[in-house]
PDB file of all heavy atoms in Angstrom:
ATOM      1  N   PRO D 569      23.424  28.729  11.179  1.00  0.00           N
ATOM      2  CA  PRO D 569      23.926  28.216  12.544  1.00  0.00           C
ATOM      3  C   PRO D 569      24.048  29.304  13.605  1.00  0.00           C
ATOM      4  O   PRO D 569      24.114  30.500  13.316  1.00  0.00           O
ATOM      5  CB  PRO D 569      25.385  27.732  12.143  1.00  0.00           C
ATOM      6  CG  PRO D 569      25.549  27.792  10.715  1.00  0.00           C
ATOM      7  CD  PRO D 569      24.432  28.695  10.148  1.00  0.00           C
ATOM      8  N   ASN D 570      23.954  28.844  14.879  1.00  0.00           N
ATOM      9  CA  ASN D 570      24.124  29.751  15.997  1.00  0.00           C
ATOM     10  C   ASN D 570      23.006  30.900  15.850  1.00  0.00           C
ATOM     11  O   ASN D 570      23.234  32.012  16.245  1.00  0.00           O
ATOM     12  CB  ASN D 570      25.435  30.451  16.055  1.00  0.00           C
ATOM     13  CG  ASN D 570      26.631  29.486  16.112  1.00  0.00           C
ATOM     14  OD1 ASN D 570      26.530  28.637  16.758  1.00  0.00           O
ATOM     15  ND2 ASN D 570      27.607  29.798  15.272  1.00  0.00           N
ATOM     16  N   GLU D 573      22.447  32.979  19.062  1.00  0.00           N
ATOM     17  CA  GLU D 573      23.489  33.807  19.426  1.00  0.00           C
ATOM     18  C   GLU D 573      23.731  34.907  18.607  1.00  0.00           C
ATOM     19  O   GLU D 573      24.082  36.067  19.026  1.00  0.00           O
ATOM     20  CB  GLU D 573      24.760  32.955  19.508  1.00  0.00           C
ATOM     21  CG  GLU D 573      24.815  31.985  20.659  1.00  0.00           C
ATOM     22  CD  GLU D 573      24.099  30.690  20.389  1.00  0.00           C
ATOM     23  OE1 GLU D 573      23.507  30.575  19.316  1.00  0.00           O
ATOM     24  OE2 GLU D 573      23.951  29.933  21.368  1.00  0.00           O
ATOM     25  N   GLY D 577      22.927  38.548  19.830  1.00  0.00           N
ATOM     26  CA  GLY D 577      24.160  39.425  19.858  1.00  0.00           C
ATOM     27  C   GLY D 577      24.055  40.749  18.995  1.00  0.00           C
ATOM     28  O   GLY D 577      24.536  41.773  19.461  1.00  0.00           O
ATOM     29  N   ARG D 578      23.451  40.509  17.811  1.00  0.00           N
ATOM     30  CA  ARG D 578      23.296  41.688  17.032  1.00  0.00           C
ATOM     31  C   ARG D 578      22.274  42.687  17.624  1.00  0.00           C
ATOM     32  O   ARG D 578      22.541  43.908  17.687  1.00  0.00           O
ATOM     33  CB  ARG D 578      22.771  41.320  15.648  1.00  0.00           C
ATOM     34  CG  ARG D 578      23.718  40.626  14.778  1.00  0.00           C
ATOM     35  CD  ARG D 578      23.003  40.203  13.492  1.00  0.00           C
ATOM     36  NE  ARG D 578      23.975  39.799  12.454  1.00  0.00           N
ATOM     37  CZ  ARG D 578      23.609  39.683  11.173  1.00  0.00           C
ATOM     38  NH1 ARG D 578      22.429  39.945  10.797  1.00  0.00           N
ATOM     39  NH2 ARG D 578      24.544  39.248  10.327  1.00  0.00           N
ATOM     40  N   TYR D 580      21.794  43.169  20.908  1.00  0.00           N
ATOM     41  CA  TYR D 580      22.573  43.913  21.973  1.00  0.00           C
ATOM     42  C   TYR D 580      23.568  44.793  21.435  1.00  0.00           C
ATOM     43  O   TYR D 580      23.745  45.986  21.874  1.00  0.00           O
ATOM     44  CB  TYR D 580      23.170  42.866  22.870  1.00  0.00           C
ATOM     45  CG  TYR D 580      22.394  42.367  23.957  1.00  0.00           C
ATOM     46  CD1 TYR D 580      21.876  41.071  23.945  1.00  0.00           C
ATOM     47  CD2 TYR D 580      21.919  43.180  24.983  1.00  0.00           C
ATOM     48  CE1 TYR D 580      20.963  40.673  25.068  1.00  0.00           C
ATOM     49  CE2 TYR D 580      21.066  42.777  26.035  1.00  0.00           C
ATOM     50  CZ  TYR D 580      20.617  41.524  25.972  1.00  0.00           C
ATOM     51  OH  TYR D 580      19.728  40.945  27.014  1.00  0.00           O
ATOM     52  N   ASN D 581      24.233  44.364  20.316  1.00  0.00           N
ATOM     53  CA  ASN D 581      25.218  45.446  19.793  1.00  0.00           C
ATOM     54  C   ASN D 581      24.467  46.661  19.325  1.00  0.00           C
ATOM     55  O   ASN D 581      24.933  47.783  19.394  1.00  0.00           O
ATOM     56  CB  ASN D 581      26.003  44.670  18.601  1.00  0.00           C
ATOM     57  CG  ASN D 581      27.165  45.489  18.175  1.00  0.00           C
ATOM     58  OD1 ASN D 581      28.019  45.942  19.002  1.00  0.00           O
ATOM     59  ND2 ASN D 581      27.230  45.800  16.868  1.00  0.00           N
ATOM     60  N   THR D 584      23.290  48.887  22.187  1.00  0.00           N
ATOM     61  CA  THR D 584      24.252  49.308  23.119  1.00  0.00           C
ATOM     62  C   THR D 584      25.178  50.248  22.452  1.00  0.00           C
ATOM     63  O   THR D 584      25.505  51.330  22.850  1.00  0.00           O
ATOM     64  CB  THR D 584      25.004  48.146  23.605  1.00  0.00           C
ATOM     65  OG1 THR D 584      24.118  47.227  24.198  1.00  0.00           O
ATOM     66  CG2 THR D 584      25.966  48.673  24.762  1.00  0.00           C
ATOM     67  N   ARG D 647      27.217  49.919   0.783  1.00  0.00           N
ATOM     68  CA  ARG D 647      28.575  50.546   0.808  1.00  0.00           C
ATOM     69  C   ARG D 647      28.527  52.085   1.128  1.00  0.00           C
ATOM     70  O   ARG D 647      29.332  52.626   1.861  1.00  0.00           O
ATOM     71  CB  ARG D 647      29.244  50.373  -0.555  1.00  0.00           C
ATOM     72  CG  ARG D 647      29.765  48.955  -0.925  1.00  0.00           C
ATOM     73  CD  ARG D 647      30.387  48.867  -2.261  1.00  0.00           C
ATOM     74  NE  ARG D 647      31.589  49.743  -2.367  1.00  0.00           N
ATOM     75  CZ  ARG D 647      31.994  50.203  -3.619  1.00  0.00           C
ATOM     76  NH1 ARG D 647      31.404  49.761  -4.699  1.00  0.00           N
ATOM     77  NH2 ARG D 647      33.058  50.983  -3.563  1.00  0.00           N
ATOM     78  N   ALA D 651      29.842  53.996   4.645  1.00  0.00           N
ATOM     79  CA  ALA D 651      30.887  55.039   4.478  1.00  0.00           C
ATOM     80  C   ALA D 651      30.286  56.469   4.831  1.00  0.00           C
ATOM     81  O   ALA D 651      31.100  57.269   5.314  1.00  0.00           O
ATOM     82  CB  ALA D 651      31.431  54.992   3.031  1.00  0.00           C
ATOM     83  N   PRO D 793      27.712  61.784  -4.652  1.00  0.00           N
ATOM     84  CA  PRO D 793      28.434  61.068  -3.531  1.00  0.00           C
ATOM     85  C   PRO D 793      28.464  59.630  -3.645  1.00  0.00           C
ATOM     86  O   PRO D 793      29.374  58.890  -3.239  1.00  0.00           O
ATOM     87  CB  PRO D 793      27.632  61.536  -2.296  1.00  0.00           C
ATOM     88  CG  PRO D 793      26.928  62.824  -2.708  1.00  0.00           C
ATOM     89  CD  PRO D 793      26.642  62.752  -4.110  1.00  0.00           C
ATOM     90  N   ALA D 800      35.781  54.167  -6.318  1.00  0.00           N
ATOM     91  CA  ALA D 800      36.612  53.756  -5.226  1.00  0.00           C
ATOM     92  C   ALA D 800      37.113  52.351  -5.309  1.00  0.00           C
ATOM     93  O   ALA D 800      36.381  51.439  -5.868  1.00  0.00           O
ATOM     94  CB  ALA D 800      36.190  54.218  -3.952  1.00  0.00           C
TER      95      ALA D 800
ATOM     96  N   PRO Q1426      27.775  48.848  28.919  1.00  0.00           N
ATOM     97  CA  PRO Q1426      26.682  47.959  29.487  1.00  0.00           C
ATOM     98  C   PRO Q1426      26.529  46.694  28.513  1.00  0.00           C
ATOM     99  O   PRO Q1426      26.941  46.681  27.369  1.00  0.00           O
ATOM    100  CB  PRO Q1426      25.440  48.957  29.228  1.00  0.00           C
ATOM    101  CG  PRO Q1426      25.937  50.224  28.865  1.00  0.00           C
ATOM    102  CD  PRO Q1426      27.391  50.148  28.605  1.00  0.00           C
ATOM    103  N   ASN Q1427      25.921  45.740  29.057  1.00  0.00           N
ATOM    104  CA  ASN Q1427      25.723  44.444  28.330  1.00  0.00           C
ATOM    105  C   ASN Q1427      26.988  43.953  27.741  1.00  0.00           C
ATOM    106  O   ASN Q1427      26.970  43.246  26.704  1.00  0.00           O
ATOM    107  CB  ASN Q1427      24.742  44.620  27.143  1.00  0.00           C
ATOM    108  CG  ASN Q1427      23.386  45.243  27.620  1.00  0.00           C
ATOM    109  OD1 ASN Q1427      22.764  44.800  28.563  1.00  0.00           O
ATOM    110  ND2 ASN Q1427      22.920  46.243  26.820  1.00  0.00           N
ATOM    111  N   GLU Q1430      26.936  40.193  26.580  1.00  0.00           N
ATOM    112  CA  GLU Q1430      26.045  40.014  25.479  1.00  0.00           C
ATOM    113  C   GLU Q1430      26.539  40.612  24.097  1.00  0.00           C
ATOM    114  O   GLU Q1430      26.578  40.006  23.014  1.00  0.00           O
ATOM    115  CB  GLU Q1430      24.573  40.609  25.716  1.00  0.00           C
ATOM    116  CG  GLU Q1430      23.788  39.787  26.657  1.00  0.00           C
ATOM    117  CD  GLU Q1430      24.129  40.137  28.073  1.00  0.00           C
ATOM    118  OE1 GLU Q1430      25.036  41.030  28.395  1.00  0.00           O
ATOM    119  OE2 GLU Q1430      23.570  39.446  28.979  1.00  0.00           O
ATOM    120  N   GLY Q1434      27.932  38.130  21.257  1.00  0.00           N
ATOM    121  CA  GLY Q1434      27.244  38.288  20.030  1.00  0.00           C
ATOM    122  C   GLY Q1434      28.010  38.674  18.932  1.00  0.00           C
ATOM    123  O   GLY Q1434      27.878  38.222  17.706  1.00  0.00           O
ATOM    124  N   ARG Q1435      28.925  39.588  19.137  1.00  0.00           N
ATOM    125  CA  ARG Q1435      29.859  39.988  18.008  1.00  0.00           C
ATOM    126  C   ARG Q1435      30.745  38.778  17.619  1.00  0.00           C
ATOM    127  O   ARG Q1435      31.044  38.592  16.432  1.00  0.00           O
ATOM    128  CB  ARG Q1435      30.734  41.086  18.478  1.00  0.00           C
ATOM    129  CG  ARG Q1435      30.098  42.515  18.545  1.00  0.00           C
ATOM    130  CD  ARG Q1435      31.048  43.464  19.058  1.00  0.00           C
ATOM    131  NE  ARG Q1435      30.549  44.829  18.981  1.00  0.00           N
ATOM    132  CZ  ARG Q1435      31.314  45.890  18.958  1.00  0.00           C
ATOM    133  NH1 ARG Q1435      32.645  45.751  19.229  1.00  0.00           N
ATOM    134  NH2 ARG Q1435      30.768  47.153  18.919  1.00  0.00           N
ATOM    135  N   TYR Q1437      29.929  35.663  17.779  1.00  0.00           N
ATOM    136  CA  TYR Q1437      29.154  34.664  16.912  1.00  0.00           C
ATOM    137  C   TYR Q1437      28.814  35.265  15.663  1.00  0.00           C
ATOM    138  O   TYR Q1437      28.806  34.524  14.710  1.00  0.00           O
ATOM    139  CB  TYR Q1437      27.798  34.340  17.790  1.00  0.00           C
ATOM    140  CG  TYR Q1437      28.035  33.222  18.687  1.00  0.00           C
ATOM    141  CD1 TYR Q1437      27.988  33.389  20.030  1.00  0.00           C
ATOM    142  CD2 TYR Q1437      28.236  31.780  18.218  1.00  0.00           C
ATOM    143  CE1 TYR Q1437      28.089  32.282  20.989  1.00  0.00           C
ATOM    144  CE2 TYR Q1437      28.384  30.894  19.065  1.00  0.00           C
ATOM    145  CZ  TYR Q1437      28.333  31.042  20.528  1.00  0.00           C
ATOM    146  OH  TYR Q1437      28.549  29.956  21.286  1.00  0.00           O
ATOM    147  N   ASN Q1438      28.541  36.489  15.515  1.00  0.00           N
ATOM    148  CA  ASN Q1438      28.281  37.092  14.257  1.00  0.00           C
ATOM    149  C   ASN Q1438      29.553  37.013  13.362  1.00  0.00           C
ATOM    150  O   ASN Q1438      29.581  36.670  12.160  1.00  0.00           O
ATOM    151  CB  ASN Q1438      27.917  38.636  14.380  1.00  0.00           C
ATOM    152  CG  ASN Q1438      27.369  39.201  13.111  1.00  0.00           C
ATOM    153  OD1 ASN Q1438      26.419  38.704  12.585  1.00  0.00           O
ATOM    154  ND2 ASN Q1438      27.974  40.240  12.708  1.00  0.00           N
ATOM    155  N   THR Q1441      30.152  33.352  12.321  1.00  0.00           N
ATOM    156  CA  THR Q1441      29.032  32.687  11.467  1.00  0.00           C
ATOM    157  C   THR Q1441      28.828  33.450  10.217  1.00  0.00           C
ATOM    158  O   THR Q1441      28.687  32.871   9.131  1.00  0.00           O
ATOM    159  CB  THR Q1441      27.728  32.850  12.300  1.00  0.00           C
ATOM    160  OG1 THR Q1441      28.003  32.213  13.672  1.00  0.00           O
ATOM    161  CG2 THR Q1441      26.610  32.071  11.590  1.00  0.00           C
ATOM    162  N   ARG Q1504      35.979  53.704   6.991  1.00  0.00           N
ATOM    163  CA  ARG Q1504      35.015  54.053   5.938  1.00  0.00           C
ATOM    164  C   ARG Q1504      35.435  53.288   4.652  1.00  0.00           C
ATOM    165  O   ARG Q1504      34.709  52.743   3.922  1.00  0.00           O
ATOM    166  CB  ARG Q1504      34.981  55.520   5.628  1.00  0.00           C
ATOM    167  CG  ARG Q1504      34.155  56.332   6.662  1.00  0.00           C
ATOM    168  CD  ARG Q1504      34.099  57.715   6.374  1.00  0.00           C
ATOM    169  NE  ARG Q1504      33.520  58.088   5.051  1.00  0.00           N
ATOM    170  CZ  ARG Q1504      33.684  59.071   4.391  1.00  0.00           C
ATOM    171  NH1 ARG Q1504      34.500  60.139   4.813  1.00  0.00           N
ATOM    172  NH2 ARG Q1504      33.153  59.393   3.155  1.00  0.00           N
ATOM    173  N   ALA Q1508      33.571  50.056   2.693  1.00  0.00           N
ATOM    174  CA  ALA Q1508      33.064  50.242   1.378  1.00  0.00           C
ATOM    175  C   ALA Q1508      33.791  49.268   0.411  1.00  0.00           C
ATOM    176  O   ALA Q1508      33.321  48.923  -0.671  1.00  0.00           O
ATOM    177  CB  ALA Q1508      33.137  51.638   0.984  1.00  0.00           C
ATOM    178  N   ASN Q1509      35.033  48.905   0.681  1.00  0.00           N
ATOM    179  CA  ASN Q1509      35.863  48.115  -0.141  1.00  0.00           C
ATOM    180  C   ASN Q1509      36.436  46.876   0.684  1.00  0.00           C
ATOM    181  O   ASN Q1509      37.155  47.201   1.736  1.00  0.00           O
ATOM    182  CB  ASN Q1509      36.969  48.827  -0.753  1.00  0.00           C
ATOM    183  CG  ASN Q1509      36.514  49.936  -1.541  1.00  0.00           C
ATOM    184  OD1 ASN Q1509      36.258  49.865  -2.768  1.00  0.00           O
ATOM    185  ND2 ASN Q1509      36.250  51.095  -0.897  1.00  0.00           N
ATOM    186  N   PRO Q1650      41.688  55.555  -4.516  1.00  0.00           N
ATOM    187  CA  PRO Q1650      40.412  54.880  -4.084  1.00  0.00           C
ATOM    188  C   PRO Q1650      40.034  55.497  -2.704  1.00  0.00           C
ATOM    189  O   PRO Q1650      38.818  55.569  -2.407  1.00  0.00           O
ATOM    190  CB  PRO Q1650      40.759  53.440  -3.915  1.00  0.00           C
ATOM    191  CG  PRO Q1650      41.816  53.151  -4.941  1.00  0.00           C
ATOM    192  CD  PRO Q1650      42.646  54.525  -4.797  1.00  0.00           C
ATOM    193  N   ALA Q1657      33.143  61.863  -1.027  1.00  0.00           N
ATOM    194  CA  ALA Q1657      31.681  61.304  -1.086  1.00  0.00           C
ATOM    195  C   ALA Q1657      30.921  61.887   0.074  1.00  0.00           C
ATOM    196  O   ALA Q1657      31.387  62.361   1.006  1.00  0.00           O
ATOM    197  CB  ALA Q1657      31.746  59.799  -1.072  1.00  0.00           C
TER     198      ALA Q1657
END
Side-chain angles (χ1 to χ4, degrees):
Chain D
N570 307 314
E573 289 80 5
R578 285 176 171 198
Y580 275 108
N581 191 55
T584 310
R647 285 179 59 201
Chain Q
N1427 307 314
E1430 289 80 5
R1435 285 177 170 197
Y1437 275 109
N1438 192 55
T1441 310
R1504 284 179 60 200
N1509 300 270

